[in-house]
Amino acid sequence: MEAAPESDPRTHRFECRSCGYVYDPDEGVKKVGIEAGTAFEDLDPAGFRCPVCRSRKPAFRDIGPREKASGFEENLNFGIGVNRMTPGQKNVLIFGGLALGFAFFLSLYSLR
């Protein structure tokens, strides 16, 4: 099994274990004035709270960079390749399939 290349920990996303909110340093948090590009480790531990449930900084866990496939490492080899997809790729697959199904449904009206 090949080792994954190391990524910069300052670009990692962090998930709140209380509510599931994901802090992404590429986006920041506009409603509380945290600029895009601010690493999670640069946030004030005393002042930062989850924008959804108000949990403190220790309630967050590192979930890796945005490009990393979601899920547990031991489960990534199962499935039809879907387990190795990033969350964005999964969204395209799901909503693209729904749009295609809707288009097929609408095409039934053209039949007589």
Side-chain angles (χ1 to χ4, degrees), residues 62-107:
D62 187 348
I63 59 172
R66 179 181 286 225
E67 299 80 28
K68 178 184 173 215
S70 59
F72 297 108
E73 291 293 326
E74 61 268 13
N75 293 337
L76 293 180
N77 295 325
F78 295 102
I80 312 171
V82 178
N83 289 347
R84 291 215 171 264
M85 297 174 101
T86 63
Q89 292 170 327
K90 288 179 184 177
N91 283 341
V92 168
L93 183 67
I94 291 167
F95 293 113
L98 286 172
L100 185 63
F102 185 69
F104 284 150
F105 176 74
L106 289 179
S107 72

